[in-house]
Amino acid sequence: MSWGTELWDQFDNLEKHTQWGIDILEKYIKFVKERTEIELSYAKQLRNLSKKYQPKKNSKEEEEYRYTACKAFLSTLNEMNDYAGQHEVISENMTSQITVELARYVQELKQERKSHFHDGRKAQQHIETCWKQLESSKRRFERDCKEADRAQQYFEKMDADINVTKADVEKARQQAQMRHQMAEDSKADYSSILQKFNHEQHEYYHTHIPNIFQKIQEMEERRIVRIGESVKTYAELDRQVIPIIGKCLDGMVKAAESIDPKNDSQLAIEAYKSGFEPPGDIEFEDYTQPMKRAVSDNSLSNSRGEGKSELKFGGKSKGKLWPFIKKNKLMSLLTSPHQPPPPPPASASPSAVPNGPQSPKQQKEPLSHRFNEFMTSKPKIHCFRSLKRGLSLKLGATPEDFSNLPPEQRRKKLQQKVDELNKEIQKEMDQRDAITKMKDVYLKNPQMGDPASLDHKLAEVSQNIEKLRLEAQKFEAWLAEVEGRLPARSEQARRQSGMYDVQNPPAVNNCAQDRESPDGSYTEERSQESEGKVLAADFDDEFDDEESLPAIGTCKALYTFEGQNEGTISVVEGETLYVIEEDKGDGWTRIRRNEDEEGYVPTSYVEVYLDKNAKGAKTYI
């Protein structure tokens, strides 16, 4: 079976067929290229999906991934990321092993096909030329024969005519002989050319064309084999990543099997356990006896009795709760510090002050006294702490010792803070050791650097270590207090139920009691908590529509101040801010950085520029 013998007369069809084969190959290349694009797009979408559901760093979501169910989900996301990587591998391998190779082969195939058909056309042109020569010699032979026949007839006619001279007859005879000779020569030439053409034609149909067509056939068969190999490679490249994809799926199954509901339940206990004891039994109150009802030791009865009066007071009385205090005045009472401000540092450089100026801790008792000054006409109100806490939560403030949290949660937060400070201390100590080693190297090799240049950095690191240690000791003391290693702050903190046996307490004493809880820090009676929510809600409604204080000038920070406590704000040396309340004689100035960030700084730390015309105005300087 050979194209040279079977398709000897199908030159044009073979040319079309081979071109169709190349078109098929190019179509297959295009198909593979689009497949690689789909694989890349799919891998990209999988990676984006995995990234979208990854927990954000330093967020609440990251804490949630302690649970085994969340860990399994995170493992699934990671495995899916690896799964996407295998689709990228498929795309890369198909591009390098199929698309690129076949594109190069197509170019070579086009050149080879062009060469073979060029040889075929050349052979066709040669046989056509030979045929034209044969036809020309044949026509010349035919013409010479006719001319010789006419010359012979003319000679015979002249020879039979008695009126023609002998010379004319001789001339006619010579002309006939010449024509016969020309016919013989044409015959010989025609015969020679015919033999040559037959030889060339035999070579053309039995040698040249079969060879050319055989090469074209081999070329076409190689193309077909190449397509088959590419299709096989296409499947094998998919098959190669199946084991890795299977491992990814196995990882997902393993992650699912690692889910432990008991462990998650224990983690939920650790996360939300308050540390309080459940309330005891409610004592029976005998209303049949004509005697004064005894209040139960449990605070639930107390809260039930007092809640009515408190809710009655804390009802919708907008405009009556604080009829003589404006919002900004009350905000100042709740947030302004009540201790003398720290003296300015000896040097303007922040490094000159080892620990930096510390803002005073806000004390609770002076705040209750301030509230008491305005509440002489309302002696029964004893939920100021709830009101203050609600306002503090609105302002985003959190006590430094986490006293707003239940005991167990407070212990966890303090332990976390201690661990963070210990890590910072270790980091600073490592930095100090590195600086010390570098200083020793400079001392041994002065040409490498000046040892004195490291003294300032070494002193700064030492000051940071000392500052962090003091901070760690402070949180460790709070942690020890929570864990019971140190005495509690009051007898009431030792109570297990968190409820108080109180009968008609005075307003101020009740407020002081409300500060304490079984851990000495958290909450008051349940009725007071509900009363605080009502008051805080009315309190927030009272001041939601109030405008913020206008700027009365500007100030420039002379030193860096780290406002770490409630009511203060941190400033950096050289920073310019707005003054919204000048010093009232207590050594503190109230400033604003933007609409949502304001607080107090020591007056000695800033240089104030008041604008008399701006007092009471809303526009800033």
Side-chain angles (χ1 to χ4, degrees):
M1 182 180 66
S2 173
W3 286 7
T5 56
E6 302 292 338
L7 302 176
W8 61 270
D9 58 344
Q10 300 298 319
F11 185 89
D12 294 337
N13 288 331
L14 284 181
E15 188 175 19
K16 294 178 181 179
H17 179 75
T18 53
Q19 181 61 45
W20 170 83
I22 292 176
D23 293 340
I24 288 293
L25 189 58
E26 289 180 338
K27 182 184 293 186
Y28 178 74
I29 294 173
K30 185 178 180 182
F31 160 75
V32 176
K33 186 179 295 185
E34 291 183 2
R35 165 72 188 276
T36 59
E37 293 174 356
I38 291 173
E39 292 291 342
L40 283 178
S41 176
Y42 181 53
K44 182 179 179 181
Q45 292 180 21
L46 286 180
R47 288 190 184 277
N48 291 338
L49 182 63
S50 176
K51 183 178 179 181
K52 177 181 178 181
Y53 287 94
Q54 288 283 348
K56 297 179 177 61
K57 293 184 178 180
N58 302 323
S59 65
K60 187 178 180 180
E61 287 186 21
E62 197 171 21
E63 297 180 1
E64 294 173 353
Y65 279 81
R66 297 175 301 159
Y67 298 96
T68 56
C70 294
K71 286 181 179 178
F73 177 53
L74 182 60
S75 298
T76 302
L77 293 178
N78 294 332
E79 294 294 345
M80 192 174 69
N81 200 42
D82 297 338
Y83 185 93
Q86 297 311 308
H87 286 277
E88 292 177 346
V89 170
I90 292 175
S91 175
E92 293 173 1
N93 291 339
M94 284 187 176
T95 300
S96 60
Q97 299 183 30
I98 297 180
T99 305
V100 176
E101 292 296 329
L102 285 185
R104 186 185 303 112
Y105 176 70
V106 165
Q107 297 300 322
E108 296 174 356
L109 188 64
K110 288 180 178 180
Q111 291 295 330
E112 183 179 1
R113 174 180 175 277
K114 182 179 179 181
S115 174
H116 292 327
F117 282 99
H118 175 73
D119 294 341
R121 288 192 181 88
K122 187 176 180 181
Q124 281 184 337
Q125 290 175 359
H126 178 69
I127 197 67
E128 287 176 0
T129 301
C130 292
W131 172 258
K132 289 179 181 178
Q133 290 178 354
L134 177 62
E135 288 292 325
S136 176
S137 63
K138 180 180 178 181
R139 286 194 299 270
R140 185 170 60 253
F141 172 59
E142 181 182 7
R143 185 180 65 250
D144 289 344
C145 287
K146 290 180 179 180
E147 292 292 333
D149 186 52
R150 284 196 298 270
Q152 182 65 29
Q153 291 178 2
Y154 179 74
F155 168 70
E156 290 176 357
K157 181 181 178 181
M158 292 293 289
D159 188 43
D161 191 357
I162 59 175
N163 296 323
V164 178
T165 60
K166 189 176 181 179
D168 292 335
V169 173
E170 185 62 23
K171 184 177 178 182
R173 185 181 64 79
Q174 292 179 355
Q175 186 68 24
Q177 289 179 353
M178 184 182 70
R179 292 293 180 183
H180 280 291
Q181 185 63 38
M182 291 177 62
E184 290 295 331
D185 293 341
S186 296
K187 181 179 179 181
D189 186 46
Y190 169 68
S191 177
S192 174
I193 291 176
L194 179 61
Q195 290 179 0
K196 182 180 179 181
F197 173 78
N198 289 332
H199 175 73
E200 292 292 340
Q201 181 176 255
H202 185 273
E203 289 291 325
Y204 174 78
Y205 287 111
H206 295 84
T207 303
H208 298 310
I209 288 299
N211 289 339
I212 293 173
F213 281 12
Q214 184 65 30
K215 292 178 181 180
I216 294 174
Q217 181 181 355
E218 292 173 357
M219 177 194 72
E220 186 68 10
E221 289 175 354
R222 286 197 306 271
R223 177 191 65 81
I224 297 171
V225 170
R226 193 63 176 268
I227 288 181
E229 292 175 351
S230 299
V231 172
K232 184 178 180 180
T233 303
Y234 178 86
E236 289 297 330
L237 292 177
D238 254 343
R239 193 190 303 275
Q240 288 174 3
V241 300
I242 288 178
I244 304 177
I245 291 177
K247 290 182 179 180
C248 295
L249 298 177
D250 292 341
M252 296 179 188
V253 174
K254 185 177 180 181
E257 293 174 350
S258 67
I259 296 177
D260 186 357
K262 299 295 184 183
N263 184 70
D264 286 2
S265 298
Q266 183 61 34
L267 290 176
I269 292 174
E270 295 176 1
Y272 303 114
K273 182 179 179 181
S274 67
F276 292 138
E277 293 291 336
D281 295 338
I282 300 176
E283 293 185 3
F284 176 75
E285 298 182 12
D286 192 355
Y287 289 94
T288 61
Q289 299 297 330
M291 57 181 291
K292 187 176 181 180
R293 288 186 295 125
V295 181
S296 173
D297 290 339
N298 190 284
S299 65
L300 289 178
S301 60
N302 188 25
S303 65
R304 183 181 299 174
E306 292 179 1
K308 295 180 179 179
S309 61
E310 292 303 319
L311 289 174
K312 182 178 180 181
F313 170 79
K316 282 293 179 177
S317 56
K318 185 173 181 180
K320 296 180 180 180
L321 183 61
W322 308 101
F324 42 79
I325 303 178
K326 292 185 178 179
K327 175 186 176 182
N328 294 318
K329 180 63 177 177
L330 182 61
M331 293 286 290
S332 175
L333 287 174
L334 294 180
T335 59
S336 62
H338 307 299
Q339 289 186 359
S347 172
S349 172
S351 62
V353 183
N355 296 325
Q358 297 295 326
S359 59
K361 295 181 181 178
Q362 192 166 352
Q363 298 181 352
K364 300 175 182 177
E365 200 60 35
L367 179 61
S368 66
H369 289 324
R370 284 205 172 194
F371 273 109
N372 198 33
E373 292 174 5
F374 293 99
M375 297 307 300
T376 54
S377 60
K378 301 290 183 181
K380 288 298 291 180
I381 296 180
H382 58 278
C383 57
F384 299 133
R385 180 169 175 81
S386 295
L387 183 59
K388 179 191 172 187
R389 182 164 63 252
L391 183 59
S392 297
L393 290 175
K394 181 180 178 182
L395 297 175
T398 303
E400 188 181 12
D401 61 350
F402 303 108
S403 59
N404 62 317
L405 298 176
E408 187 66 24
Q409 303 302 317
R410 184 186 180 199
R411 181 193 65 78
K412 290 177 60 178
K413 285 290 185 181
L414 290 173
Q415 184 64 52
Q416 182 180 356
K417 187 67 176 180
V418 169
D419 294 340
E420 291 176 358
L421 289 172
N422 288 333
K423 289 181 181 179
E424 291 293 329
I425 291 172
Q426 186 61 41
K427 183 178 178 181
E428 293 291 335
M429 291 177 67
D430 294 341
Q431 187 176 359
R432 182 184 63 183
D433 294 341
I435 296 174
T436 303
K437 291 179 181 180
M438 187 179 296
K439 185 176 180 180
D440 293 340
V441 173
Y442 286 176
L443 289 172
K444 295 177 182 179
N445 301 288
Q447 67 275 10
M448 296 183 67
D450 183 14
S453 62
L454 300 176
D455 292 340
H456 175 73
K457 184 65 176 176
L458 192 61
E460 184 178 349
V461 173
S462 300
Q463 292 170 2
N464 291 339
I465 292 175
E466 186 63 26
K467 180 180 177 181
L468 289 172
R469 282 177 176 171
L470 292 174
E471 191 77 7
Q473 291 175 4
K474 179 174 63 175
F475 280 94
E476 286 174 355
W478 286 329
L479 180 61
E481 180 182 345
V482 173
E483 292 178 344
R485 296 199 301 265
L486 294 179
R489 285 180 285 184
S490 67
E491 260 184 47
Q492 296 162 347
R494 289 294 187 185
R495 296 176 186 254
Q496 294 183 353
S497 65
M499 308 303 175
Y500 303 117
D501 185 10
V502 181
Q503 291 187 4
N504 299 326
V508 177
N509 292 337
N510 197 26
C511 187
Q513 288 175 355
D514 287 345
R515 282 192 193 88
E516 305 298 333
S517 66
D519 71 325
S521 61
Y522 175 59
T523 185
E524 55 273 358
E525 299 176 288
R526 295 190 181 181
S527 63
Q528 296 168 6
E529 186 69 25
S530 62
E531 293 157 11
K533 291 180 180 178
V534 175
L535 289 177
D538 288 342
F539 190 86
D540 293 343
D541 294 339
E542 178 68 21
F543 299 115
D544 280 343
D545 298 330
E546 292 288 337
E547 295 182 349
S548 59
L549 285 174
I552 60 174
T554 58
C555 67
K556 180 179 180 182
L558 301 177
Y559 315 101
T560 297
F561 174 72
E562 298 177 1
Q564 298 179 350
N565 296 99
E566 186 178 354
T568 60
I569 185 173
S570 300
V571 296
V572 182
E573 179 182 350
E575 187 179 7
T576 301
L577 306 105
Y578 295 104
V579 177
I580 58 175
E581 187 175 305
E582 59 182 334
D583 191 350
K584 301 298 184 181
D586 55 357
W588 296 90
T589 300
R590 191 175 180 186
I591 62 172
R592 178 189 293 128
R593 180 174 285 109
N594 51 49
E595 290 295 334
D596 299 326
E597 192 173 2
E598 63 183 48
Y600 286 86
V601 294
T603 305
S604 57
Y605 277 64
V606 294
E607 185 176 0
V608 180
Y609 308 97
L610 294 178
D611 184 7
K612 296 180 179 179
N613 296 328
K615 188 174 183 181
K618 186 62 180 174
T619 57
Y620 294 157
I621 300 175

